[in-house]
Amino acid sequence: MNKTMLAVLLGATAFSMPALADDTLASAKAEGQYVSYGMSDDWVNLGTIFGEIESKFGLKHVDTDMTSAEQVTHLLAEKDAPVMDIADIGYDFTGRLLENGLAASYKNASWDSIEPRYKDAEGRWASAYWGAIAFLVNTDKVKVAPQTWNDLLKADYKDMVCSRDPRISSYATASVLAAAYANGGGEDNVQPGLDWFKQLRDSGNLRNGVVLNVASVQKGECPISLVYDFDGFAKRDATGLPLQVIIPSDGTVGMLFAQYISAVAPHPNAAKVAIDFLFSDEGQHLLAEGYAHPTRNIELSDAVKAKMLPASAYEKVRFPTNLESFSGAVKNIAEGWDKVAK
């Protein structure tokens, strides 16, 4: 019995993988491994994806978790003694990556089926998934859940809202941008978002000194958290707590995450195999199993759909206009908040 027939009988989804060039696969197996930065095993199901790559192609994965900013710093320091092969970087730092010539040009095997807004025309990066900025609400502690950005300013939510500093955190920066959109601004005018975040802080609604993670949610330190929706779903299912993911009804920001191969990758062929798998139908479905939104138009299983919100919840998601505009907005938010926070 072939694998496709077996999958059908078991009720599983059968996936095909774009064919790899024989010389690329042979060279990848000779390299034996690939090293990633910023791609944590517990992030959007990446641990399972890395395991599948090892099982299918015999390539071991070595990773170092780090922020997008740390990636750029490490790569600049390692130019003469490269370590990293592939990485996952926030869209807000992709401009710095390209400015410094740190990404190789490689158009993965699924390139033609990726929408232009999710990839670089020169092949230096492509985004395998995105996440929406959302509210994660503990319904035991919050009786009436907020539905809009300005709802969070209400006195009902005194000392309840958790976020990081928008100068150092992508999702916090994107939250400020989403609030800017909700109040008449946008990428070209982030001031309404900065005003909103200042009001959130000055009202006492913004809770200070809390690191957002599963432990803080479990301890009840974050009754209302500003998160990526996929992280909220993961926390909900990991903790078993009464957590609700809410996409603000007045709109939010869709954050892209870019994957790329280092311009000086020590294991370039293994890196290509890993990137190809990430963008394959199977890789995209595994990302969705980790609650992320795949960028390729693939059919999701009913089990995956049942754990996520319907498409109608995302009708007001705003994606970056382009890399230059979005990077400029992020810079203006960081600099603007720096002036306020001093």
Side-chain angles (χ1 to χ4, degrees):
M1 181 181 296
N2 64 41
K3 290 183 178 180
T4 300
M5 290 177 61
L6 181 61
V8 171
L9 288 174
L10 294 177
T13 303
F15 298 101
S16 60
M17 173 90 177
L20 292 162
D22 290 341
D23 56 345
T24 298
L25 187 53
S27 297
K29 288 183 176 180
E31 292 166 356
Q33 68 170 13
Y34 59 102
V35 177
S36 73
Y37 281 174
M39 304 178 83
S40 172
D41 283 1
D42 60 358
W43 180 260
V44 295
N45 208 28
L46 287 173
T48 300
I49 290 172
F50 295 139
E52 283 297 304
I53 291 170
E54 181 171 358
S55 174
K56 292 176 184 297
F57 308 110
L59 302 175
K60 293 190 178 297
H61 171 244
V62 180
D63 71 303
T64 300
D65 297 346
M66 63 179 68
T67 66
S68 297
E70 289 171 337
Q71 274 181 50
V72 175
T73 300
H74 274 257
L75 289 175
L76 288 171
E78 296 168 5
K79 272 193 168 181
D80 295 328
V83 176
M84 187 273 279
D85 296 300
I86 66 170
D88 179 280
I89 193 168
Y91 191 70
D92 48 332
F93 279 89
T94 305
R96 288 179 58 187
L97 186 81
L98 303 186
E99 288 168 7
N100 288 283
L102 299 174
S105 178
Y106 176 63
K107 296 183 178 180
N108 65 70
S110 303
W111 189 261
D112 290 343
S113 62
I114 302 171
E115 290 183 39
R117 65 175 169 173
Y118 297 135
K119 62 187 179 183
D120 172 51
E122 297 178 34
R124 294 169 296 178
W125 63 268
S127 176
Y129 66 97
W130 61 272
I133 303 300
F135 307 154
L136 180 64
V137 178
N138 186 321
T139 55
D140 268 356
K141 298 181 178 297
V142 181
K143 298 309 177 186
V144 179
Q147 300 297 319
T148 70
W149 289 100
N150 288 341
D151 278 352
L152 294 179
L153 302 177
K154 293 178 178 178
D156 299 4
Y157 305 123
K158 187 83 169 180
D159 197 34
M160 284 191 177
V161 183
C162 292
S163 175
R164 287 195 174 104
D165 190 315
R167 293 170 294 183
I168 60 174
S169 166
S170 295
Y171 75 75
T173 304
S175 297
V176 173
L177 180 57
Y181 276 120
N183 288 282
E187 289 179 349
D188 60 346
N189 177 20
V190 300
Q191 191 59 48
L194 289 167
D195 293 342
W196 173 87
F197 200 72
K198 182 178 184 299
Q199 192 174 347
L200 186 71
R201 182 199 67 177
D202 293 349
S203 67
N205 287 11
L206 183 65
R207 181 167 287 199
N208 291 321
V210 176
V211 176
L212 293 181
N213 54 29
V214 171
S216 65
V217 172
Q218 287 176 315
K219 289 186 291 185
E221 293 177 339
C222 293
I224 303 171
S225 304
L226 305 184
V227 299
Y228 296 121
D229 60 342
F230 56 72
D231 203 21
F233 291 129
K235 284 180 171 60
R236 176 198 66 188
D237 293 349
T239 63
L241 294 173
L243 302 177
Q244 181 183 6
V245 175
I246 297 173
I247 305 299
S249 61
D250 50 350
T252 193
V253 168
M255 280 291 289
L256 306 181
F257 296 85
Q259 293 72 48
Y260 65 96
I261 296 175
S262 169
V264 288
H267 312 99
N269 294 289
K272 290 176 182 178
V273 172
I275 289 290
D276 279 3
F277 183 80
L278 193 63
F279 284 88
S280 69
D281 287 3
E282 183 174 2
Q284 291 279 280
H285 198 275
L286 287 170
L287 284 170
E289 289 178 18
Y291 312 101
H293 302 272
T295 52
R296 290 186 54 238
N297 185 21
I298 66 163
E299 182 63 33
L300 299 179
S301 68
D302 291 340
V304 167
K305 291 177 184 177
K307 294 192 294 184
M308 302 171 77
L309 294 175
S312 59
Y314 297 92
E315 290 177 351
K316 294 183 180 179
V317 171
R318 294 176 182 266
F319 289 97
T321 303
N322 55 58
L323 189 56
E324 181 180 6
S325 177
F326 187 80
S327 297
V330 168
K331 180 174 182 290
N332 290 337
I333 290 171
E335 292 178 352
W337 189 248
D338 195 47
K339 293 176 183 177
V340 173
K342 285 181 178 178

